[in-house]
Amino acid sequence: MGRSPFTLAAAVTAALPGAEVTGARALSADGDGRFDSAVATLADGRELAIRVADDDETSRELAAEALALRALTAGARAMLPFRAPEYIGETRLADAHALVTELLPGFQIEAAMVPAGRGAAESMGAAIAAVHALPTSVVRGAGLTTRSAQESRDELARLVDVAASTGRVPARLTVRWRDAIADDDLWRFESTVVLGGVQSTSFIFRDDPELGPEVTGLIGWHSLAVGDPAIDLSWLSTAPDAAEDVHSSYARAADRGPDAALEVRARLLAELEFARWLVHGDSLHRPDIVDDAAALLEALAEGLHSDDLGVIASRNEGVESALDALDRVPASAVPGVDTSMQTDAYNPNDLWHDDSDAQSTSDLSDTADAARRAQLGGLETEDLSGVRDQVSEDLGAERSTADDTRQAHASDRADGSDEGSPEDEAQRAARAALQRWKSSDSE
């Protein structure tokens, strides 16, 4: 890795014969840094994005992205109220797979910075609804993955079983997730075309003087499939200010009947991203990733207000999620291991007192366990350690805020005032940290 933009720009002439490259620069919005990337400027004024993968996983992602972009025919693109990158070509740079696409102009907004109200939030909801309204033939015709509601449900059940078999998932979460998967009311939905993992940085904006930020492009098509529409809304767990408006805008723009369980499934999928991260680390025999995921899961279990993921959930309680979980992970870490997030060891059963917990994990044979871990560990998952690193900078300040809050409550109790619950205190500290992040500059 670490190729210069000019080296990467050489891939353009191979992917697009006859192209005249007049300039090259680094691509600032290059995802999580897993690719070498650059922008090449052509003599005709066009700008192209080049991404190069150096391992099998990222190479498969680029191949999937290329297939998805080619599946978006002119007719399908005409149905979208925004642009998707045009596929330019593929080539090899030394032994690495390189993908060249159109560069979409505009800017991105981090999830925690997306404001409520008109503008970005409403435009994002409408954009997601437009993707979900595409004909499923777009995906089926390209031979991409399709899942029915039952297949989506079964896949999550397998994920929970394999994650629980590691012994690192708090029993409270295992019970919560299994109860949700067993609830038939959650799984009565119509599968749609989905991007399969939208993030806030998937949206490209331009600033409208009257309406505010407006979505003009969408990137990250490598997981294009037919499946549960909730997967493209699970990222809202990290956008607490905008979540309600995105959901409302999506519901207004959707061309299907109401899906009462959509928000609940989206929250479930956000929580299960930590389980997927755990299984990924376990399949790679990476104790640093396993410890990282286990700490996140413990923090998530501590921060839950309720064990119910039923359809009657939610808007009044706000979005419970990974962001709250990240705020509660203790800051201590093993020296020299960047991705590991350590916490004091304790029995997960302390989080959920029930004699039936000992029976909550499926009794798998060693052979079946290894096979299922390998299968699920190979599924695409987001690297959550980077997210945790961003939050860790604020943990010290958050603890100070929490200590001040506890002292204020102690003073209030001495004066006879009511005592708040520990969950409320933790929420106040998390919100204070979120406000500090929102006031900082977004990269």
Side-chain angles (χ1 to χ4, degrees):
M1 303 292 278
R3 301 177 181 90
S4 74
F6 291 99
T7 300
L8 297 174
V12 172
T13 56
L16 186 63
E20 182 181 350
V21 178
T22 60
R25 68 178 191 276
L27 176 61
S28 58
D30 61 350
D32 55 11
R34 294 177 301 133
F35 302 94
D36 278 345
S37 56
V39 176
T41 303
L42 304 187
D44 60 9
R46 285 184 296 166
E47 290 193 317
L48 305 180
I50 309 103
R51 284 179 292 165
V52 178
D54 272 341
D55 57 48
D56 291 341
E57 180 181 357
T58 50
S59 181
R60 285 192 296 270
E61 183 173 319
L62 289 185
E65 177 93 0
L67 181 59
L69 292 179
R70 292 199 302 271
L72 292 176
T73 61
R77 290 172 182 268
M79 298 177 66
L80 300 173
F82 53 80
R83 295 172 61 191
E86 291 284 353
Y87 170 83
I88 302 300
E90 297 167 87
T91 187
R92 308 289 298 183
L93 195 60
D95 293 329
H97 185 184
L99 173 65
V100 182
T101 64
E102 175 190 19
L103 178 71
L104 299 183
F107 61 92
Q108 297 160 297
I109 305 176
E110 294 292 337
M113 304 293 291
V114 179
R118 59 185 292 182
E122 293 187 352
S123 185
M124 290 166 121
I128 296 170
V131 173
H132 293 180
L134 287 172
T136 57
S137 58
V138 171
V139 170
R140 299 180 193 277
L144 298 172
T145 302
T146 62
R147 295 184 184 89
S148 66
Q150 186 60 47
E151 288 169 336
S152 297
R153 184 182 190 179
D154 291 343
E155 180 183 321
L156 295 183
R158 290 192 295 271
L159 173 62
V160 171
D161 285 345
V162 175
S165 72
T166 66
R168 302 299 298 273
V169 180
R172 181 181 186 184
L173 293 180
T174 302
V175 173
R176 170 184 172 88
W177 295 338
R178 284 182 170 153
D179 284 349
I181 292 171
D183 185 352
D184 291 338
D185 288 338
L186 287 184
W187 306 99
R188 296 189 175 103
F189 66 85
E190 176 187 353
S191 291
T192 67
V193 174
V194 295
L195 279 167
V198 172
Q199 301 297 321
S200 66
T201 50
S202 302
F203 300 91
I204 305 298
F205 295 90
R206 70 173 175 84
D207 203 13
D208 186 291
E210 296 182 358
L211 301 177
E214 179 183 14
V215 174
T216 57
L218 199 55
I219 59 176
W221 292 79
H222 56 274
S223 295
L224 185 67
V226 171
D228 185 354
I231 187 64
D232 288 340
L233 295 162
S234 61
W235 67 275
L236 290 171
S237 62
T238 58
D241 289 346
E244 183 173 349
D245 289 315
V246 175
H247 276 296
S248 296
S249 175
Y250 174 86
R252 289 193 300 270
D255 63 351
R256 306 180 315 283
D259 182 352
L262 181 69
E263 293 183 46
V264 182
R265 292 198 314 278
R267 188 166 70 241
L268 171 64
L269 290 166
E271 293 179 9
L272 286 174
E273 195 62 30
F274 293 135
R276 202 178 295 277
W277 183 229
L278 173 67
V279 171
H280 176 70
D282 186 62
S283 68
L284 296 177
H285 305 290
R286 287 279 304 274
D288 55 331
I289 295 178
V290 170
D291 289 342
D292 182 43
L296 289 166
L297 289 165
E298 288 168 353
L300 176 63
E302 287 179 349
L304 293 177
H305 291 289
S306 167
D307 297 302
D308 182 26
L309 269 172
V311 175
I312 303 178
S314 67
R315 199 163 284 211
N316 291 334
E317 297 179 1
V319 181
E320 289 176 358
S321 77
L323 182 62
D324 287 336
L326 289 167
D327 289 336
R328 293 183 178 84
V329 178
S332 59
V334 174
V337 182
D338 292 337
T339 61
S340 178
M341 290 181 287
Q342 301 297 315
T343 186
D344 293 336
Y346 59 89
N347 188 345
N349 290 326
D350 293 340
L351 301 175
W352 182 261
H353 297 289
D354 191 325
D355 293 337
S356 65
D357 285 344
Q359 303 300 324
S360 64
T361 302
S362 298
D363 185 15
L364 304 173
S365 68
D366 291 342
T367 302
D369 177 64
R372 292 167 76 179
R373 289 191 195 188
Q375 179 185 17
L376 287 165
L379 295 175
E380 180 183 338
T381 182
E382 182 182 359
D383 186 337
L384 300 175
S385 59
V387 181
R388 176 62 186 88
D389 292 341
Q390 178 182 355
V391 174
S392 64
E393 297 175 2
D394 294 291
L395 284 174
E398 179 184 336
R399 286 195 183 83
S400 175
T401 301
D403 290 343
D404 292 344
T405 303
R406 282 193 292 271
Q407 292 172 8
H409 282 313
S411 175
D412 289 342
R413 288 194 297 273
D415 293 337
S417 61
D418 292 336
E419 179 179 356
S421 69
E423 290 84 356
D424 290 341
E425 182 176 319
Q427 286 293 326
R428 282 192 294 272
R431 291 191 187 101
L434 175 61
Q435 291 304 317
R436 288 194 297 276
W437 301 332
K438 290 182 64 177
S439 65
S440 63
D441 292 336
S442 176
E443 291 295 327

